[in-house]
Amino acid sequence: GKESGILNLALESKDAGKAVKILNTIAEFYVRQNVQRTSAEAAQSLDFLREKLPEIKKDLEKAGSALNQYQTRNRSVDITLETKAILDQVVNLDTNISNLKLQQAEMDRKFTPAHPAYRALLSQISELTDKQATLEKKVISLPSTQQELLSLTRDVEVGTEVYTQLLNKSQELDVMRA
């Protein structure tokens, strides 16, 4: 069956030994071809991630530096519980959106925008972006120092999450490629 990983081969021949050899050769070729295809796809995705990792690391370092400077300048302002709750939601949404956009970048190479999987991904991104806009309205109601601190902390936390996930994914792909 489709996607089952099970193949059923049949060949009619008067020479049973020859039929077995032919079927075994076809099966070996099929398995080798699948391994090569999977390895090539993993290598291509790995190249993409290796290209993105330095950019994300640089952004993360910039965000961490900006947060440290802000806290130093304002004598280590703390986040209130209300701001922390909003921060957690914002970080979760931002991380999910970033991951979906990376998936979109990979899908751009494989599918057209009309493909159902691609459209489903765009729909997910749109839904999360709407939730993000709702949260931004809550952020506006916070005091300005809390808004600034939330923004800087969000950048650091989202950057850390995305960077960590990309590192993990690149290690997985490296194993798949090998």
Side-chain angles (χ1 to χ4, degrees), residues 163-178:
Y163 186 70
T164 302
Q165 288 176 353
L166 286 180
L167 282 175
N168 290 339
K169 184 70 174 171
S170 69
Q171 289 172 349
E172 288 173 23
L173 288 171
D174 215 9
V175 169
M176 279 180 61
R177 182 183 53 88

Side-chain angles (χ1 to χ4, degrees), residues 14 18 43 47-48 54 60-62 92-93 98 103 113 118 120 123 152 154 158 162 177:
K14 292 180 182 177
K18 186 175 181 181
D47 289 343
F48 174 76
L60 177 59
E61 288 169 352
K62 246 195 281 187
N92 188 23
L93 279 174
S98 293
Q103 285 179 17
Y118 192 89
S123 174
L152 294 169
R154 176 189 64 202
V158 169
V162 170
R177 182 183 53 88

Side-chain angles (χ1 to χ4, degrees), residues 111-141:
F111 303 116
T112 65
H115 192 278
Y118 192 89
R119 290 188 7 221
L121 184 69
L122 291 178
S123 174
Q124 285 179 314
I125 291 172
S126 176
E127 184 180 315
L128 291 178
T129 304
D130 291 345
K131 287 181 182 179
Q132 191 179 37
T134 303
L135 274 177
E136 290 298 325
K137 290 176 185 172
K138 286 184 182 179
V139 170
I140 292 172
S141 68

Side-chain angles (χ1 to χ4, degrees), residues 13-174:
S13 174
K14 292 180 182 177
D15 185 353
K18 186 175 181 181
V20 168
K21 285 181 183 179
I22 290 171
L23 291 176
N24 283 339
T25 302
I26 291 171
E28 287 173 21
F29 181 75
Y30 180 81
V31 169
R32 191 175 326 117
Q33 182 182 21
N34 277 346
V35 168
Q36 289 171 346
R37 184 182 321 114
T38 302
S39 179
E41 286 176 5
Q44 195 174 31
S45 294
L46 191 58
D47 289 343
F48 174 76
L49 288 179
R50 286 185 177 151
E51 180 183 308
K52 290 292 182 188
L53 277 169
E55 295 171 24
I56 292 172
K57 184 176 182 180
K58 184 178 169 187
D59 291 344
L60 177 59
E61 288 169 352
K62 246 195 281 187
S65 177
L67 176 62
N68 287 338
Q69 287 174 1
Y70 181 79
Q71 286 183 318
T72 301
R73 192 171 55 245
N74 291 295
R75 295 191 175 83
S76 192
V77 176
D78 287 332
I79 294 180
T80 64
L81 288 176
E82 178 187 11
T83 306
K84 177 68 175 146
I86 293 172
L87 173 67
D88 291 343
Q89 292 175 351
V90 169
V91 166
N92 188 23
L93 279 174
D94 284 352
T95 302
N96 289 336
I97 289 170
S98 293
N99 287 334
L100 290 175
K101 286 187 178 181
L102 283 170
Q103 285 179 17
Q104 180 185 5
E106 282 193 47
M107 280 189 161
D108 281 340
R109 295 182 289 124
K110 296 178 183 178
F111 303 116
T112 65
H115 192 278
Y118 192 89
R119 290 188 7 221
L121 184 69
L122 291 178
S123 174
Q124 285 179 314
I125 291 172
S126 176
E127 184 180 315
L128 291 178
T129 304
D130 291 345
K131 287 181 182 179
Q132 191 179 37
T134 303
L135 274 177
E136 290 298 325
K137 290 176 185 172
K138 286 184 182 179
V139 170
I140 292 172
S141 68
L142 295 172
S144 62
T145 56
Q146 291 296 304
Q147 286 181 29
E148 182 71 20
L149 193 56
L150 181 131
S151 175
L152 294 169
T153 306
R154 176 189 64 202
D155 292 346
V156 170
E157 288 190 18
V158 169
T160 302
E161 286 284 324
V162 170
Y163 186 70
T164 302
Q165 288 176 353
L166 286 180
L167 282 175
N168 290 339
K169 184 70 174 171
S170 69
Q171 289 172 349
E172 288 173 23
L173 288 171
D174 215 9

